[in-house]
Amino acid sequence: MANFRRLVGRGLVRSGRFECRLSGSVFIFTGHGSGHGAGLCQYGARGQAMAGKGYREILSYYYHNVRIGRLY
């Protein structure tokens, strides 16, 4: 796991707690939070929502270079 993260980039894969699956010709990575400062902060996200920001803007703040869309 550590070698994979080093090769891909620790900024892209921030935790070793993830699963990977192949969907057609695309790899889907699903991460799991571990409370060490990587990923979405529930308090920060709530604060942004209370300030009127939408879910897309909030998710874009925490997760860079991702595309938000439907899987079906």
Side-chain angles (χ1 to χ4, degrees):
M1 199 68 62
N3 287 337
F4 174 78
R5 289 181 59 225
R6 185 174 61 249
L7 290 171
V8 173
R10 287 187 174 95
L12 184 62
V13 181
R14 296 182 181 191
S15 172
R17 294 189 63 206
F18 68 89
E19 297 171 10
C20 178
R21 67 181 171 86
L22 183 60
S23 177
S25 62
V26 176
F27 286 97
I28 307 282
F29 288 85
T30 304
H32 304 280
S34 58
H36 55 67
L40 186 139
C41 170
Q42 64 184 350
Y43 301 108
R46 183 177 187 274
Q48 289 186 46
M50 298 290 285
K53 294 186 179 177
Y55 75 95
R56 288 181 180 272
E57 192 173 4
I58 295 169
L59 291 174
S60 295
Y61 176 82
Y62 288 101
Y63 303 102
H64 304 278
N65 300 317
V66 297
R67 187 174 66 204
I68 300 170
R70 298 179 190 266
L71 291 177
Y72 56 90

